[in-house]
Amino acid sequence: MSAERKVRLGVIGSGKGSNFVAIAQACREGNLSAEVAVVLSDVAEAGILKHAAGFGLAARFIDPGKFRTKLDESAEAAYVAALREARVDLVVLAGFMRILKGTFLAAFPGRVINIHPALLPSFPGLASWKQALDHGVKMTGCTVHWVDQGIDTGRIIAQQAVPIVEGDTAETVHERIQQVERVLYPQTIGELIRKGAVKASAA
Ligand code: GAR
């Protein structure tokens, strides 16, 4: 009997890569029935690329082009080509700090997810942990959601609450959220695969 092909993940991030590490570890340890096919970043020095190299995974910086908050047209085409070349079944945004537009999403319909450090629809956008702290909310958290063309507006897949406690700073809140993210993200990807919402392509 031939082994079933694993779901291939394409992980994209701009930062230190702690979510990526949690996902790659879960794959390696067999807790997540998937494999990381490629890691891409818009930041040449990003920790995520160094971690990917440490795991022996294919990792590439792709220049995002001239804009600050999105990919320019040729960059977007390069990201799509790299993900297709790696035969990615699911695109996993892990701290990717740019908005993806229609052409990218049309290349991977219903196959792009993101993790956001707040309980959406509260606090979309940047530094959400700081937005939550500044508002004085007692409970924030993190959200895994499908990506659409809006800013953190796609359909919610999973959420977990994280308390804000007396004496918290933006840093302590973000760290507490990130500890939860590192469990929630691999777990949620696993559930999507188990439920058949994400499948390995036949190729
Ligand atoms: C994570 O907290 C993630 O939720 C956030 O960036 C951090 C990346 O950390 N994403 C966003 O704010 C997206 N709008 P990491 O590089 O250690 O995974």
Side-chain angles (χ1 to χ4, degrees), residues 106-145:
F108 305 98
R111 290 193 288 144
V112 185
I113 61 172
N114 180 44
I115 190 155
H116 182 77
L119 291 177
L120 292 171
S122 292
F123 310 127
L126 296 176
S128 311
W129 56 90
K130 187 168 181 305
Q131 295 185 49
L133 187 68
D134 291 348
H135 270 78
V137 299
K138 305 302 171 206
M139 202 59 85
T140 184
C142 49
T143 303
V144 180
H145 64 96

Side-chain angles (χ1 to χ4, degrees), residues 19-93:
N19 278 287
F20 158 71
V21 168
I23 292 164
Q25 251 160 14
C27 291
R28 193 166 67 180
E29 289 161 10
N31 298 323
L32 175 54
S33 179
E35 60 188 315
V36 177
V38 72
V39 177
L40 304 176
S41 182
D42 58 329
V43 177
E45 296 304 314
I48 191 170
L49 291 177
K50 297 190 178 95
H51 284 301
F55 275 88
L57 294 167
R60 266 177 73 190
F61 160 70
I62 302 182
D63 193 325
K66 58 184 180 288
F67 302 116
R68 237 169 25 92
T69 57
K70 60 180 182 177
L71 300 172
D72 76 14
E73 212 173 299
S74 66
E76 188 180 78
Y79 277 79
V80 169
L83 293 163
R84 282 194 171 139
E85 193 181 310
R87 292 176 293 118
V88 160
D89 300 305
L90 180 68
V91 179
V92 176
L93 305 184

